[in-house]
Amino acid sequence: MLGTLLIVSGPSGCGKTTLCRRAEADGLTAYSISCTTREPRPGEQDGVDYHFLSQADFAAKVAAGEFLEHATVHGNSYGTLRSHIVELLEAGKNVVMDIDVQGAASIRACDDPVIRRAFADVYIYLPSAQLEARLRGRKTDDEATIRLRLHNAAQEDARMGEYAFVLESGDREHDYAHFTALLRALSMRRQLR
Ligand code: 5GP
């Protein structure tokens, strides 16, 4: 039985990373570790949070066609290795991918048969006033970065209609209950047999 590939998007600060990490900690999914050219934030570890690559190493993987998708977000490159995802799915593991709307669109258009069968997508929606409060609360970004992220959030929300599922964010427990219910329902799809 094939695992489910659940693409999770939503503006930075909406809580999607927390949802994905918690589902992984509870043994429901494997987390897809992306590659990025951005600098690690305090506490982030190479090979755990991301594979932190130089621009040159990233470009070499693009040229070799190793990425299932890659995109530039907030001025940095991000990408997901195809081989990593297909191996997990074929081993029957659910995979959640925390990626932006551009990355989601390119995976949705992917012609790999394993990816197409396993695919599902959800958008985590949070009204902008609440998003701003959360971004300020986590105190990891400066004012210019917060402004940029709010601007990007409005652009991402405009593409919510591309997703089969929308999870309107409430509190942490509400969000997690809905997220895990979705994962369970998706794992019952006949196409995975
Ligand atoms: P952050 O730098 O805050 O960890 O992530 C910034 C943005 O990059 C988030 O919206 C996140 O979803 C997105 N992102 C993380 N990994 C990938 C990836 O592999 N591909 C794409 N397209 N976006 C990603």
Side-chain angles (χ1 to χ4, degrees):
M1 192 132 157
L2 204 63
T4 286
L5 174 61
L6 181 59
I7 306 300
V8 185
S9 304
S12 141
C14 72
K16 60 189 187 301
T17 307
T18 307
L19 285 174
C20 294
R21 288 299 192 185
R22 186 167 164 190
E24 182 199 14
D26 287 347
L28 300 175
T29 65
Y31 187 83
S32 151
I33 302 168
S34 297
C35 300
T36 182
T37 59
R38 83 152 161 76
E39 292 297 316
R41 296 198 185 108
E44 283 183 334
Q45 282 177 268
D46 186 41
V48 176
D49 298 286
Y50 282 101
H51 299 293
F52 293 99
L53 301 182
S54 66
Q55 303 276 359
D57 287 349
F58 195 96
K61 290 197 186 302
V62 172
E66 290 182 40
F67 288 117
L68 177 57
E69 63 79 39
H70 62 94
T72 303
V73 187
H74 312 311
N76 294 302
S77 302
Y78 293 85
T80 308
L81 296 171
R82 178 192 295 254
S83 56
H84 175 54
I85 302 300
V86 169
E87 273 168 30
L88 289 168
L89 293 173
E90 286 184 330
K93 299 235 186 328
N94 294 325
V95 179
V96 288
M97 283 179 63
D98 168 1
I99 58 170
D100 80 311
V101 293
Q102 305 169 67
S106 57
I107 296 175
R108 210 177 279 120
C110 169
D111 56 12
D112 185 302
V114 173
I115 301 290
R116 291 189 74 85
R117 265 171 69 209
F119 184 88
D121 54 5
V122 61
Y123 190 85
I124 314 294
Y125 174 63
L126 181 65
S128 66
Q130 288 169 43
L131 176 63
E132 182 167 356
R134 281 196 206 174
L135 286 175
R136 294 194 184 286
R138 72 181 189 183
K139 296 189 167 72
T140 53
D141 303 310
D142 60 23
E143 184 62 27
T145 307
I146 289 175
R147 290 277 137 223
L148 178 64
R149 284 176 188 262
L150 286 173
H151 172 77
N152 289 345
Q155 288 187 325
E156 290 184 49
D157 285 353
R159 295 181 65 174
M160 188 159 63
E162 295 172 20
Y163 291 73
F165 297 92
V166 173
L167 194 167
E168 186 160 341
S169 184
D171 64 35
R172 213 171 264 245
E173 294 309 315
H174 161 279
D175 292 3
Y176 191 62
H178 283 70
F179 189 73
T180 54
L182 177 60
L183 268 174
R184 290 198 179 90
L186 288 169
S187 73
M188 291 188 267
R189 288 178 298 167
R190 183 171 40 79
Q191 74 210 45
L192 299 177
R193 296 196 164 268

